[in-house]
Amino acid sequence: MFCKPCAGGRNGHIICYPIDSSLKALLSSLKFVVGKPNVLDKDRFIARLLEIIDNEVHTNDGPFVRELEGALANYLGVPHCVAVANATLGLELVLNALPRKGQVIVPSFTFIASAHAIVRTGHTPVFVDVDSRGLIDPQAVAAAVGPETVAILPVNLFGLVCDVERLSDIASSAHARLIYDSAHALGVRSNGKNVGGFGWAEVFSLHATKVVSGFEGGFVTTSDGELARVLREARNFGFDKKGVIVALGTNAKMSEVHAAMALTNLEKIDWIIEHNAANFCVYQSELSELCALIEPQEGESSNYQYVPVIVATSDLRDKVFAKLIAKGIAAKIYFSPGVHSTVPYIRNNICRSHDLSRTIDISSRIICLPTGVHVDASGVRAIAQIFNEALL
Ligand SMILES: *Cc1c(COP(=O)(O)O)cnc(C)c1O
């Protein structure tokens, strides 16, 4: 049974109804799903769960949250790691820590949360275009910065890395802070350096669909100790270490259960990435030349959690997507449309946009294919075959 509050129900009563049998059949027939959680060691998680219950510490900077922060800081080689309830709140806390309100430059080709966090913290998003791989275009950023720019928020989309050097130069000459949305990029490196060590702060997600799942969750990395302190206070209502309210904080704490799940899955990250990389190689060799797989460049080492493909035309993309779904393969359209053309941004006129022609083009032709620990080489071959046939 699915339960949901029904607007038409009397006095807001919860109405329960049996899940439609055709929907049920569809759900169970979906064999390969983009973003199916990577879970490898159930027993270890259950053991930790029992430990939490015995400890009687459920939340508030508990031992598993601290252990997770330490493990992540160590894995990424960063001085500070602050766990939060999710990446969206992580972005909000960092954006709230900026010295003043102003414009934040962000790609329109991203998940909606990158932009929502900007608006919800009282800043103005300025949308710029992306390059041919869907990453923020540094030239567009350079053209968009101005006296009102307070931050640049590039997105390390699909486990790929933005042009960190040029972005760093642009940010410092514009006196703007560089905040990376690295929600997709745990375990990713650029020229031997881990994503997590770039910019003023980087924000990661531990959502169920990401490379490491904590059910929900996120964290911020930074080398700025003062920022780390501000974030720790802000995630806990504004209490400082002594329990004094020093800021207008919120509740963005991570619970012990989420930390235990993330910690358990983080222990398997090398294995997950290796598995994803092997899948990616099979996609590379199997996918038709009538489409273009977005690939890491030289010097870039991805987590391969995403398999983004650009199809020749938007009609063909839609045809391929429908065909895959009909065959029980839950591909996803990440991301379409661009944030600038979603309802709240059009309706409220809360943004500025530069030329977004590449964003519009890519978002009309992109499709992401399944990978992760539930897909193996033979699964990839089966998906690629259906995909290739649909292209013809
Ligand atoms: C998933 C995602 C987020 C949001 O992460 P949550 O932890 O779910 O809040 C932000 N940005 C991008 C690019 C994402 O894909």
Side-chain angles (χ1 to χ4, degrees):
M1 303 278 265
F2 273 3
C3 299
K4 71 167 194 180
C6 175
R10 219 187 298 153
N11 306 326
H13 281 119
I14 303 287
I15 300 179
C16 292
Y17 55 93
I19 153 169
D20 175 71
S21 62
S22 62
L23 177 62
K24 200 169 180 178
L26 178 68
L27 287 175
S28 64
S29 71
L30 291 175
K31 193 158 176 226
F32 300 118
V33 180
V34 168
K36 199 181 246 195
N38 293 324
V39 181
L40 290 162
D41 196 342
K42 287 186 244 180
D43 292 343
R44 197 154 164 77
F45 171 65
I46 300 291
R48 284 178 160 142
L49 206 50
L50 295 173
E51 205 180 317
I52 292 167
I53 293 167
D54 290 342
N55 275 348
E56 299 180 330
V57 178
H58 291 186
T59 188
N60 286 19
D61 206 11
F64 279 119
V65 165
R66 286 171 184 229
E67 191 180 339
L68 176 67
E69 289 180 337
L72 286 165
N74 184 44
Y75 175 71
L76 297 173
V78 294
H80 305 282
C81 171
V82 181
V84 285
N86 56 63
T88 308
L89 282 169
L91 285 167
E92 289 189 19
L93 298 190
V94 174
L95 288 159
N96 260 330
L98 286 167
R100 65 187 168 93
K101 301 294 177 194
Q103 296 183 349
V104 178
I105 297 173
V106 65
S108 170
F109 186 64
T110 182
F111 183 55
I112 196 81
S114 322
H116 277 2
I118 295 169
V119 179
R120 293 174 57 83
T121 50
H123 298 284
T124 305
V126 175
F127 292 118
V128 296
D129 214 357
V130 288
D131 64 15
S132 58
R133 297 197 304 156
L135 298 171
I136 199 166
D137 176 3
Q139 217 167 313
V141 176
V145 290
E148 288 181 65
T149 309
V150 288
I152 301 168
L153 204 158
V155 182
N156 288 319
L157 208 64
F158 303 143
L160 303 167
V161 193
C162 300
D163 188 339
V164 288
E165 277 169 29
R166 282 182 68 192
L167 289 168
S168 165
D169 289 345
I170 297 165
S172 53
S173 49
H175 304 289
R177 294 276 161 86
L178 199 46
I179 302 164
Y180 281 99
D181 178 340
S182 294
H184 286 187
L186 180 56
V188 174
R189 287 194 304 276
S190 174
N191 295 311
K193 199 174 170 206
N194 289 320
V195 166
F198 300 113
W200 181 48
E202 296 206 39
V203 183
F204 292 81
S205 174
L206 298 167
H207 181 258
T209 55
K210 309 304 206 261
V211 67
V212 168
S213 167
F215 298 115
E216 289 269 3
F219 62 96
V220 183
T221 57
T222 182
S223 51
D224 180 339
E226 175 64 12
L227 175 63
R229 182 185 59 77
V230 167
L231 296 175
R232 286 180 192 285
E233 290 166 357
R235 74 175 176 184
N236 187 29
F237 308 102
F239 284 105
D240 73 3
K241 268 188 172 166
K242 293 179 191 144
V244 178
I245 301 284
V246 293
L248 203 65
T250 185
N251 183 356
K253 287 178 273 105
M254 177 184 279
S255 85
E256 287 290 279
V257 173
H258 295 90
M261 181 67 163
L263 199 54
T264 306
N265 291 324
L266 180 64
E267 286 164 357
K268 298 286 183 214
I269 189 169
D270 292 345
W271 196 96
I272 297 169
I273 292 176
E274 245 174 68
H275 182 90
N276 281 346
N279 281 348
F280 199 86
C281 283
V282 181
Y283 273 118
Q284 274 176 321
S285 66
E286 298 285 319
L287 283 180
S288 156
E289 283 171 11
L290 297 171
C291 65
L293 187 56
I294 299 183
E295 297 175 4
Q297 290 174 343
E298 208 185 315
E300 215 175 7
S301 125
S302 180
N303 57 22
Y304 299 99
Q305 175 70 6
Y306 303 86
V307 182
V309 183
I310 298 182
V311 180
T313 65
S314 136
D315 286 347
L316 206 48
R317 190 270 312 266
D318 295 346
K319 184 180 154 211
V320 169
F321 180 69
K323 186 73 181 281
L324 288 166
I325 296 288
K327 296 272 184 179
I329 295 160
K332 285 265 165 70
I333 307 293
Y334 285 156
F335 295 96
S336 184
V339 175
H340 73 284
S341 57
T342 60
V343 169
Y345 291 82
I346 299 168
R347 191 178 55 207
N348 297 326
N349 196 22
I350 39 182
C351 55
R352 314 259 165 96
S353 294
H354 290 259
D355 173 37
L356 297 172
S357 40
R358 226 182 258 127
T359 298
I360 293 162
D361 177 44
I362 294 183
S363 59
S364 76
R365 297 196 287 129
I366 198 153
I367 181 168
C368 287
L369 301 179
T371 191
V373 301
H374 76 296
V375 187
D376 63 8
S378 69
V380 172
R381 280 190 210 100
I383 296 164
Q385 195 184 341
I386 295 164
F387 185 97
N388 292 343
E389 282 168 11
L391 273 184
L392 298 174

